[in-house]
Amino acid sequence: MLDNKLKTPFIALVGAVALMASAPAFAQDAAPAAPAAGAAAAPAAGGDAAAAPATAAPAAADAGDPPTMDKHGGKLNVGTMFMDADPVVKVVMIGLALASIFSWAVLITKLLEFRSLNRVTDNFLEQFRSAKSINDMNRIALSEEFDGNPLADMAAAAAQEIELSRQAGLTGGEHKDNIIMRAQAAVGAVQASLARRLSSGMQFLASVGSNGPFIGLFGTVYGIMNSFIGIANTNTTNLAVVAPGIAEALLATGLGLFAAIPSVIFYNYFQTRISAYGARTEGFVAELMNAISRQLDKGA
């Protein structure tokens, strides 16, 4: 019994000594854990460091992007597109602009010409039909009021030819047909000059109307070709870089259409007016020859 009581404290003491002896070993085993934690923290820090360059890379990439053509404040208009266009495209635009200006000048001139022509012709026909003799016809046709009017010129030419025949003594009935034929020839010469007069400017309108779109298209093709060359050289498809060049190129086609459309419309309109006035002159020639024949029959 006594031995058992002595054994118990002795075992406890031995266990305490063994525990104390083993404590440094536990401390040594636990110490490397701190470096492990530090090592774990280091990779984490390394991960942040790696993330920082990753975020910096897009910034660098953004800094290396091509320019966005903001020299006009991001706003384009006709003037800036013209100034930035290629020299060849500029030449095309200037040519089309001049063609458009000349076309409008022709349009306005022809409109005023036909308006005045019809008004004066109406007045002349009213007075011509009141003439009582060939001399009256000649006087009315040569009046300053009708100077330059085609129908007045026809009447004057016919009357003057008859007067020349009279002066030559060719006034008998046997010469009547020849006199009328010569009068008709004189009127025909005036009609030929009238056709040239009314057709003035029409060839220009026809040329602008038919060729204007193709000239503008040439400028557009050339400008777009340069835009694609710029894309290849800058190695970018950024729309802000590509769009201005394409817009400048398309402006050439727009100018071509702007010049051609009015030219085509008014060309057809003036052709109708010329045909209508030509028919009016044909009717007047028949009326003039009838009046001259009556006066010759009367001996006036």
Side-chain angles (χ1 to χ4, degrees):
M1 187 69 180
L2 183 58
D3 294 336
N4 290 335
K5 290 181 179 179
L6 292 174
K7 286 180 180 179
T8 300
F10 179 76
I11 292 172
L13 180 59
V14 173
V17 172
L19 182 61
M20 292 177 63
S22 63
F26 282 112
Q28 292 176 358
D29 292 339
D48 293 339
T55 55
D62 292 340
D65 281 345
T68 57
M69 306 293 286
D70 278 347
K71 60 182 177 180
H72 299 298
K75 296 181 180 179
L76 283 176
N77 54 46
V78 174
T80 56
M81 286 191 290
F82 172 78
M83 295 304 298
D84 294 338
D86 186 86
V88 174
V89 181
K90 279 185 180 179
V91 171
V92 171
M93 290 182 185
I94 292 172
L96 290 172
L98 292 175
S100 178
I101 292 172
F102 291 146
S103 295
W104 281 101
V106 172
L107 299 180
I108 295 173
T109 302
K110 299 295 285 184
L111 285 173
L112 295 176
E113 179 184 5
F114 275 106
R115 181 179 179 182
S116 174
L117 186 63
N118 286 319
R119 185 183 69 252
V120 175
T121 297
D122 292 339
N123 294 334
F124 170 75
L125 288 176
E126 183 179 355
Q127 295 192 32
F128 171 80
R129 288 163 183 164
S130 64
K132 302 299 183 180
S133 66
I134 296 177
N135 289 332
D136 287 343
M137 295 179 192
N138 190 37
R139 177 182 53 80
I140 293 171
L142 293 177
S143 65
E144 186 177 353
E145 179 183 358
F146 306 118
D147 184 27
N149 183 265
L151 269 60
D153 292 342
M154 292 179 190
Q160 289 172 3
E161 180 60 36
I162 294 172
E163 180 63 25
L164 290 175
S165 297
R166 284 176 176 175
Q167 292 176 1
L170 305 174
T171 55
E174 66 276 9
H175 299 294
K176 175 184 174 182
D177 292 340
N178 292 332
I179 292 173
I180 293 177
M181 288 179 59
R182 286 193 292 270
Q184 285 179 332
V187 170
V190 176
Q191 278 186 299
S193 64
L194 171 63
R196 291 192 299 269
R197 170 184 167 184
L198 294 182
S199 299
S200 63
M202 297 299 292
Q203 185 64 37
F204 179 77
L205 293 180
S207 298
V208 173
S210 60
N211 297 319
F214 295 102
I215 296 173
L217 183 61
F218 166 74
T220 297
V221 170
Y222 190 91
I224 291 179
M225 180 180 67
N226 282 341
S227 296
F228 281 110
I229 291 174
I231 293 172
N233 290 338
T234 58
N235 196 24
T236 180
T237 57
N238 191 339
L239 186 60
V241 176
V242 178
I246 295 178
E248 295 158 10
L250 292 175
L251 179 61
T253 296
L255 286 174
L257 294 174
F258 180 77
I261 291 174
S263 298
V264 172
I265 292 174
F266 280 94
Y267 175 83
N268 294 329
Y269 171 74
F270 289 134
Q271 282 293 102
T272 302
R273 296 289 297 270
I274 290 172
S275 298
Y277 198 83
R280 192 174 190 181
T281 59
E282 291 293 339
F284 174 73
V285 170
E287 182 178 354
L288 176 63
M289 292 299 105
N290 289 336
I292 289 175
S293 178
R294 283 195 301 269
Q295 296 298 328
L296 290 176
D297 287 340
K298 293 192 316 183

